[in-house]
Amino acid sequence: MKRKNIIFIGMPAVGKSTVGVVIAKRLGMRFLDTDLLIQEQEGKLLRDIIAKAGEDGFLKIENQVNREVDVENTVISPGGSVVYCKEAMQNFKKNGTVVYLKVSYETIKKRIRNPQQRGVVLREGQSLKDLYDERTKLFEAYADIIICEDDLSVEQTIEAVLHNLTPPYPG
């Protein structure tokens, strides 16, 4: 039986934390941003961890932190690269409903002006578009619910999430 957690996945800047906090408040749940857990564990900002440990080192830390998340009645917002972390995603799938907040590449490009400052993990020579295309397949594979946010306000996105959760939660 799934414990009642809601896990938001999606590209950086789709609103996982923004939507997650409001959903948590509306449903009387806790909110957990796992990027903050990573920063707390490592004593550094995400971009500094990535600079020091490299992409693979960062993903190893991200997998470890997210696979160890053991909570109930919590809305969880992991980083966008968590979909590369198999054990972490297995933990989330087992313990909650995974909601993919999807937006078009054009929207992402507008929202993320500086990927490195944002703590976005790009491999050498990889463009933001390459990353978007690669991750989109993974997000869709792991998602229990997909909410397309294009042309939705934050409030409309929240209503769409609440409407699509099973059982339906009060809006």
Side-chain angles (χ1 to χ4, degrees):
M1 155 110 180
K2 285 187 177 187
R3 291 184 290 171
K4 194 176 112 183
N5 292 318
I6 301 166
I7 301 95
F8 285 105
I9 59 172
M11 288 293 289
V14 297
K16 295 182 297 287
S17 296
T18 304
V19 170
V21 166
V22 176
I23 296 278
K25 282 183 181 178
R26 292 251 187 110
L27 300 179
M29 298 172 79
R30 288 186 293 273
F31 177 78
L32 176 64
D33 182 329
T34 64
D35 280 350
L36 296 177
L37 288 181
I38 292 169
Q39 289 183 168
E40 194 177 297
Q41 174 182 296
E42 298 299 308
K44 296 182 186 80
L45 297 175
L46 293 183
R47 66 175 176 259
D48 297 332
I49 299 167
I50 295 164
K52 186 169 190 266
E55 179 195 6
D56 291 340
F58 175 76
L59 289 174
K60 197 175 285 183
I61 294 165
E62 185 171 38
N63 187 51
Q64 172 258 311
V65 168
N66 284 282
R67 78 169 178 245
E68 293 173 3
V69 168
D70 183 20
V71 294
E72 292 184 12
N73 200 39
T74 301
V75 175
I76 303 168
S77 174
S81 55
V82 75
V83 289
Y84 296 124
C85 304
K86 192 174 180 184
E87 295 166 319
M89 289 308 300
Q90 287 170 337
N91 179 40
F92 290 146
K93 290 289 287 180
K94 186 176 73 184
N95 294 309
T97 301
V98 177
V99 179
Y100 169 30
L101 296 180
K102 179 179 184 163
V103 295
S104 67
Y105 173 70
E106 289 67 33
T107 302
I108 288 296
K109 199 169 72 173
K110 278 185 218 145
R111 292 183 186 178
I112 301 178
R113 291 190 182 80
N114 186 333
Q116 282 71 28
Q117 259 194 330
R118 178 92 199 192
V120 176
V121 181
L122 288 172
R123 291 188 301 279
E124 183 113 9
Q126 186 180 40
S127 71
L128 189 58
K129 176 75 167 104
D130 295 336
L131 184 74
Y132 178 86
D133 292 341
E134 182 178 281
R135 286 189 185 176
T136 296
K137 293 179 188 91
L138 294 168
F139 293 139
E140 289 173 354
Y142 282 117
D144 296 310
I145 297 170
I146 299 174
I147 304 294
C148 185
E149 292 186 278
D150 286 326
D151 303 321
L152 294 184
S153 67
V154 172
E155 186 56 39
Q156 288 169 321
T157 298
I158 291 162
E159 294 304 324
V161 170
L162 291 170
H163 178 76
N164 283 279
L165 288 170
T166 311
Y169 291 88

